[in-house]
Amino acid sequence: MNVKVQYYFMVAAETCNFSKAAKKLYISQTALSKIISGMEEELGEKLFIRNKNVTELTDAGKVYLEYARKAGLLYQDSRQIIRESIKEKGTLRMGLPVLNDSFMNILSMFHRKYPDAHVRLYSNQISAEAFSDSKLDMILIPEDKAENLKYVHIATREGLYAVMNQNHRLAGNPILDLEDLQEEQLIFGIDQNGRLDEAYQYSVEAGLKAPHVAFLYNDAKYQLNLILNSDAVAISFNLFRMFRESMDGIVTVPININIPLNSRLVLAYRPESRNPLVPEMAECAARFMEIRTKSGI
């Protein structure tokens, strides 16, 4: 006898009214009666006394109600144990088309809570449309691309930066104009379809004419290696500025731009996701944002 059938019985037993129980269970009274009759046939005992004036449990029904309650609690406990086990040693697959300081702090918070859980990061550019058909659990995307996904806001793109080797001739400038980068060899990212990233599109719209794209990347490690081992300059948003500035040999300089930039990034996931680590990561993200807001970071 399955747990669902036992639940139907418990609702009927608690109400002692098949009509009210059926409404609560969102099934017809006829269907509920058939389910109870099937239980009685399987058990070989009558569970209810039913007549026009009253519906009440038989002695066998009272005994079985106690059993059903214990079985229900055991079932819930087993589900919780399984979910906790998955949380502790499960795997969360995340798509990261862009690098972000906030996410790295959130990931650190998550690992402190679940040190044995595995988080696999996929840094190749992936769209919201591709995410819907992928095996990924979560993705970092612009808010306006989230569409029907649930999400937590974790960052805002508020600036454009030039990232370069500390020995670059422009490294000592407190701020740069796009004109200062006009003759430089530049590094930009590409998406999964081979298109230049949003930083490139934004730079061109802001006035960078025919930029000299010397290197392309779709992996963060490769981008940082290019910066460290060449005279090329990467143009990117502020999303990973603190991390880059903490690396020896790399300098991040803000770029003076005249086109407003204010794009929110969110950590998004499918509403129907069954991976128990997904809401835990979302909770860490929300908690981090709450802490950051209160501290004014």
Side-chain angles (χ1 to χ4, degrees):
M1 194 173 298
N2 64 46
V3 175
K4 189 173 183 179
V5 168
Q6 289 178 345
Y7 175 68
Y8 286 170
F9 165 74
M10 285 192 292
V11 173
E14 288 165 2
T15 60
C16 277
N17 185 309
F18 276 36
S19 177
K20 289 181 180 179
K23 287 180 180 179
K24 186 175 181 179
L25 294 167
Y26 298 101
I27 61 175
S28 69
Q29 184 174 341
T30 301
L32 179 58
S33 293
K34 287 183 178 179
I35 290 170
I36 298 300
S37 295
M39 292 179 66
E40 292 175 330
E41 183 177 347
E42 184 177 343
L43 293 168
E45 296 285 347
K46 286 291 183 181
L47 299 175
F48 288 93
I49 298 171
R50 286 175 277 180
N51 55 47
K52 293 182 179 180
N53 299 319
V54 66
T55 297
E56 60 183 6
L57 287 169
T58 63
D59 289 341
K62 292 175 183 178
V63 171
Y64 190 78
L65 177 59
E66 291 303 312
Y67 164 80
R69 285 172 175 164
K70 291 178 182 178
L73 290 173
L74 181 61
Y75 173 70
Q76 292 299 328
D77 288 345
S78 66
R79 288 189 63 189
Q80 185 64 28
I81 291 170
I82 291 170
R83 287 178 65 84
E84 289 301 326
S85 176
I86 292 173
K87 285 181 184 179
E88 292 175 6
K89 298 184 179 180
T91 299
L92 188 65
R93 296 172 177 82
M94 309 187 70
L96 297 180
V98 292
L99 296 174
N100 175 257
D101 280 316
S102 293
F103 175 74
M104 299 309 293
N105 283 286
I106 293 165
L107 185 60
S108 176
M109 183 183 293
F110 177 83
H111 274 308
R112 286 197 296 272
K113 189 173 182 180
Y114 297 106
D116 295 323
H118 301 283
V119 178
R120 294 183 181 176
L121 305 179
Y122 298 84
S123 62
N124 54 312
Q125 306 289 326
I126 182 170
S127 65
E129 295 80 7
F131 172 71
S132 64
D133 295 323
S134 74
K135 293 183 179 179
L136 296 177
D137 297 301
M138 306 183 85
I139 184 174
L140 185 63
I141 53 175
E143 184 178 28
D144 60 358
K145 302 293 185 182
E147 298 180 343
N148 296 323
L149 299 173
K150 294 186 69 174
Y151 60 81
V152 180
H153 166 237
I154 70 166
T156 302
R157 289 188 289 200
E158 297 175 333
L160 202 61
Y161 290 81
V163 189
M164 64 196 77
N165 188 296
Q166 64 180 2
N167 298 316
H168 195 282
R169 64 182 185 84
L170 297 176
N173 289 275
I175 192 168
L176 294 168
D177 291 321
L178 284 173
E179 292 180 359
D180 298 324
L181 302 171
Q182 193 66 63
E183 303 303 321
E184 297 297 323
Q185 296 184 81
L186 301 177
I187 303 170
F188 286 101
I190 55 173
D191 66 18
Q192 60 179 1
N193 296 314
R195 295 180 298 230
L196 285 159
D197 65 13
E198 291 183 79
Y200 173 85
Q201 303 297 335
Y202 184 83
S203 299
V204 172
E205 291 175 9
L208 189 63
K209 300 176 182 177
H212 178 195
V213 182
F215 301 101
L216 297 172
Y217 73 91
N218 64 0
D219 180 87
K221 291 181 181 178
Y222 182 58
Q223 178 205 33
L224 295 175
N225 283 334
L226 287 173
I227 296 168
L228 285 168
N229 298 297
S230 74
D231 290 328
V233 178
I235 296 182
S236 64
F237 296 112
N238 62 305
L239 301 173
F240 221 53
R241 180 168 56 88
M242 288 188 292
F243 175 75
R244 291 184 179 120
E245 289 181 342
S246 69
M247 291 189 64
D248 292 336
I250 288 182
V251 173
T252 303
V253 183
I255 300 172
N256 182 33
I257 50 178
N258 55 13
I259 297 179
L261 173 62
N262 192 337
S263 174
R264 287 162 55 99
L265 283 184
V266 299
L267 198 56
Y269 53 98
R270 302 177 192 85
E272 70 278 10
S273 175
R274 294 188 177 184
N275 187 334
L277 289 173
V278 168
E280 296 300 326
M281 179 63 79
E283 183 180 334
C284 286
R287 177 60 180 154
F288 172 77
M289 293 304 292
E290 180 183 345
I291 294 171
R292 195 175 77 169
T293 299
K294 288 182 178 179
S295 62
I297 298 176

